[in-house]
PDB file of all heavy atoms in Angstrom:
ATOM      1  N   HIS P  48      13.518 -19.758   4.318  1.00  0.00           N
ATOM      2  CA  HIS P  48      13.232 -19.980   5.749  1.00  0.00           C
ATOM      3  C   HIS P  48      11.771 -19.660   6.127  1.00  0.00           C
ATOM      4  O   HIS P  48      11.323 -18.664   5.788  1.00  0.00           O
ATOM      5  CB  HIS P  48      14.215 -19.206   6.553  1.00  0.00           C
ATOM      6  CG  HIS P  48      15.628 -19.501   6.320  1.00  0.00           C
ATOM      7  ND1 HIS P  48      16.241 -20.586   6.797  1.00  0.00           N
ATOM      8  CD2 HIS P  48      16.608 -18.822   5.544  1.00  0.00           C
ATOM      9  CE1 HIS P  48      17.541 -20.636   6.450  1.00  0.00           C
ATOM     10  NE2 HIS P  48      17.794 -19.533   5.668  1.00  0.00           N
ATOM     11  N   THR P  49      11.188 -20.599   6.848  1.00  0.00           N
ATOM     12  CA  THR P  49       9.850 -20.471   7.296  1.00  0.00           C
ATOM     13  C   THR P  49       9.646 -19.158   8.117  1.00  0.00           C
ATOM     14  O   THR P  49       8.701 -18.396   7.913  1.00  0.00           O
ATOM     15  CB  THR P  49       9.351 -21.684   8.058  1.00  0.00           C
ATOM     16  OG1 THR P  49       9.564 -22.833   7.225  1.00  0.00           O
ATOM     17  CG2 THR P  49       7.903 -21.550   8.464  1.00  0.00           C
ATOM     18  N   GLY P  50      10.533 -18.841   9.008  1.00  0.00           N
ATOM     19  CA  GLY P  50      10.466 -17.724   9.841  1.00  0.00           C
ATOM     20  C   GLY P  50      10.455 -16.383   9.081  1.00  0.00           C
ATOM     21  O   GLY P  50       9.690 -15.479   9.318  1.00  0.00           O
ATOM     22  N   GLU P  51      11.411 -16.372   8.084  1.00  0.00           N
ATOM     23  CA  GLU P  51      11.546 -15.207   7.189  1.00  0.00           C
ATOM     24  C   GLU P  51      10.280 -15.030   6.350  1.00  0.00           C
ATOM     25  O   GLU P  51       9.780 -13.926   6.195  1.00  0.00           O
ATOM     26  CB  GLU P  51      12.774 -15.267   6.363  1.00  0.00           C
ATOM     27  CG  GLU P  51      12.927 -14.141   5.327  1.00  0.00           C
ATOM     28  CD  GLU P  51      13.221 -12.741   6.012  1.00  0.00           C
ATOM     29  OE1 GLU P  51      13.490 -12.732   7.285  1.00  0.00           O
ATOM     30  OE2 GLU P  51      13.060 -11.800   5.261  1.00  0.00           O
ATOM     31  N   ARG P  52       9.744 -16.111   5.856  1.00  0.00           N
ATOM     32  CA  ARG P  52       8.626 -16.057   5.062  1.00  0.00           C
ATOM     33  C   ARG P  52       7.353 -15.519   5.921  1.00  0.00           C
ATOM     34  O   ARG P  52       6.658 -14.611   5.444  1.00  0.00           O
ATOM     35  CB  ARG P  52       8.225 -17.502   4.524  1.00  0.00           C
ATOM     36  CG  ARG P  52       6.999 -17.498   3.666  1.00  0.00           C
ATOM     37  CD  ARG P  52       6.786 -18.861   3.092  1.00  0.00           C
ATOM     38  NE  ARG P  52       7.866 -19.247   2.219  1.00  0.00           N
ATOM     39  CZ  ARG P  52       8.527 -20.399   2.210  1.00  0.00           C
ATOM     40  NH1 ARG P  52       8.163 -21.335   3.032  1.00  0.00           N
ATOM     41  NH2 ARG P  52       9.513 -20.565   1.404  1.00  0.00           N
ATOM     42  N   ALA P  53       7.227 -15.989   7.145  1.00  0.00           N
ATOM     43  CA  ALA P  53       6.153 -15.547   7.978  1.00  0.00           C
ATOM     44  C   ALA P  53       6.347 -14.044   8.263  1.00  0.00           C
ATOM     45  O   ALA P  53       5.345 -13.337   8.355  1.00  0.00           O
ATOM     46  CB  ALA P  53       6.191 -16.407   9.275  1.00  0.00           C
ATOM     47  N   ARG P  54       7.537 -13.591   8.534  1.00  0.00           N
ATOM     48  CA  ARG P  54       7.891 -12.203   8.842  1.00  0.00           C
ATOM     49  C   ARG P  54       7.459 -11.352   7.668  1.00  0.00           C
ATOM     50  O   ARG P  54       6.797 -10.296   7.843  1.00  0.00           O
ATOM     51  CB  ARG P  54       9.296 -12.011   9.236  1.00  0.00           C
ATOM     52  CG  ARG P  54       9.604 -10.651   9.752  1.00  0.00           C
ATOM     53  CD  ARG P  54      11.114 -10.450   9.982  1.00  0.00           C
ATOM     54  NE  ARG P  54      11.842 -10.346   8.732  1.00  0.00           N
ATOM     55  CZ  ARG P  54      11.853  -9.203   8.019  1.00  0.00           C
ATOM     56  NH1 ARG P  54      11.146  -8.190   8.248  1.00  0.00           N
ATOM     57  NH2 ARG P  54      12.634  -9.154   6.924  1.00  0.00           N
ATOM     58  N   ARG P  55       7.820 -11.691   6.461  1.00  0.00           N
ATOM     59  CA  ARG P  55       7.513 -10.957   5.310  1.00  0.00           C
ATOM     60  C   ARG P  55       6.028 -10.867   5.054  1.00  0.00           C
ATOM     61  O   ARG P  55       5.498  -9.850   4.654  1.00  0.00           O
ATOM     62  CB  ARG P  55       8.233 -11.530   4.060  1.00  0.00           C
ATOM     63  CG  ARG P  55       9.678 -11.392   4.100  1.00  0.00           C
ATOM     64  CD  ARG P  55      10.104  -9.954   3.807  1.00  0.00           C
ATOM     65  NE  ARG P  55      11.548  -9.824   3.520  1.00  0.00           N
ATOM     66  CZ  ARG P  55      12.045  -8.879   2.941  1.00  0.00           C
ATOM     67  NH1 ARG P  55      11.360  -7.858   2.510  1.00  0.00           N
ATOM     68  NH2 ARG P  55      13.345  -8.835   2.746  1.00  0.00           N
ATOM     69  N   LEU P  56       5.341 -11.945   5.214  1.00  0.00           N
ATOM     70  CA  LEU P  56       3.899 -12.005   4.962  1.00  0.00           C
ATOM     71  C   LEU P  56       3.195 -11.194   6.027  1.00  0.00           C
ATOM     72  O   LEU P  56       2.203 -10.404   5.771  1.00  0.00           O
ATOM     73  CB  LEU P  56       3.338 -13.383   5.003  1.00  0.00           C
ATOM     74  CG  LEU P  56       3.754 -14.288   3.816  1.00  0.00           C
ATOM     75  CD1 LEU P  56       3.283 -15.655   3.881  1.00  0.00           C
ATOM     76  CD2 LEU P  56       3.245 -13.607   2.503  1.00  0.00           C
ATOM     77  N   ALA P  57       3.711 -11.173   7.315  1.00  0.00           N
ATOM     78  CA  ALA P  57       3.129 -10.288   8.349  1.00  0.00           C
ATOM     79  C   ALA P  57       3.272  -8.853   8.019  1.00  0.00           C
ATOM     80  O   ALA P  57       2.483  -7.942   8.220  1.00  0.00           O
ATOM     81  CB  ALA P  57       3.708 -10.646   9.710  1.00  0.00           C
ATOM     82  N   CYS P  58       4.504  -8.496   7.460  1.00  0.00           N
ATOM     83  CA  CYS P  58       4.786  -7.175   7.064  1.00  0.00           C
ATOM     84  C   CYS P  58       3.794  -6.784   5.914  1.00  0.00           C
ATOM     85  O   CYS P  58       3.271  -5.569   5.929  1.00  0.00           O
ATOM     86  CB  CYS P  58       6.208  -7.003   6.594  1.00  0.00           C
ATOM     87  SG  CYS P  58       6.728  -5.359   6.210  1.00  0.00           S
ATOM     88  N   ALA P  59       3.584  -7.562   4.922  1.00  0.00           N
ATOM     89  CA  ALA P  59       2.665  -7.326   3.891  1.00  0.00           C
ATOM     90  C   ALA P  59       1.268  -7.049   4.377  1.00  0.00           C
ATOM     91  O   ALA P  59       0.562  -6.121   3.960  1.00  0.00           O
ATOM     92  CB  ALA P  59       2.654  -8.465   2.821  1.00  0.00           C
ATOM     93  N   ARG P  60       0.870  -7.906   5.398  1.00  0.00           N
ATOM     94  CA  ARG P  60      -0.438  -7.734   6.003  1.00  0.00           C
ATOM     95  C   ARG P  60      -0.599  -6.354   6.671  1.00  0.00           C
ATOM     96  O   ARG P  60      -1.548  -5.712   6.589  1.00  0.00           O
ATOM     97  CB  ARG P  60      -0.704  -8.772   6.973  1.00  0.00           C
ATOM     98  CG  ARG P  60      -2.141  -9.033   7.396  1.00  0.00           C
ATOM     99  CD  ARG P  60      -2.344 -10.260   8.209  1.00  0.00           C
ATOM    100  NE  ARG P  60      -1.617 -11.359   7.757  1.00  0.00           N
ATOM    101  CZ  ARG P  60      -0.733 -12.030   8.516  1.00  0.00           C
ATOM    102  NH1 ARG P  60      -0.506 -11.741   9.745  1.00  0.00           N
ATOM    103  NH2 ARG P  60       0.000 -13.074   8.091  1.00  0.00           N
ATOM    104  N   GLY P  61       0.501  -5.934   7.338  1.00  0.00           N
ATOM    105  CA  GLY P  61       0.530  -4.630   8.004  1.00  0.00           C
ATOM    106  C   GLY P  61       0.491  -3.518   6.980  1.00  0.00           C
ATOM    107  O   GLY P  61      -0.260  -2.497   7.205  1.00  0.00           O
ATOM    108  N   CYS P  62       1.152  -3.648   5.903  1.00  0.00           N
ATOM    109  CA  CYS P  62       1.044  -2.618   4.825  1.00  0.00           C
ATOM    110  C   CYS P  62      -0.320  -2.510   4.216  1.00  0.00           C
ATOM    111  O   CYS P  62      -0.888  -1.432   3.934  1.00  0.00           O
ATOM    112  CB  CYS P  62       2.068  -2.961   3.703  1.00  0.00           C
ATOM    113  SG  CYS P  62       3.789  -2.777   4.227  1.00  0.00           S
ATOM    114  N   VAL P  63      -1.036  -3.687   4.117  1.00  0.00           N
ATOM    115  CA  VAL P  63      -2.437  -3.673   3.610  1.00  0.00           C
ATOM    116  C   VAL P  63      -3.302  -2.830   4.631  1.00  0.00           C
ATOM    117  O   VAL P  63      -4.079  -2.010   4.184  1.00  0.00           O
ATOM    118  CB  VAL P  63      -2.938  -5.053   3.440  1.00  0.00           C
ATOM    119  CG1 VAL P  63      -4.515  -5.030   3.228  1.00  0.00           C
ATOM    120  CG2 VAL P  63      -2.300  -5.754   2.235  1.00  0.00           C
TER     121      VAL P  63
END
Side-chain angles (χ1 to χ4, degrees):
H48 298 285
T49 305
E51 177 66 13
R52 183 174 297 135
R54 188 185 74 73
R55 291 288 191 159
L56 291 175
C58 186
R60 198 172 321 122
C62 291
V63 169

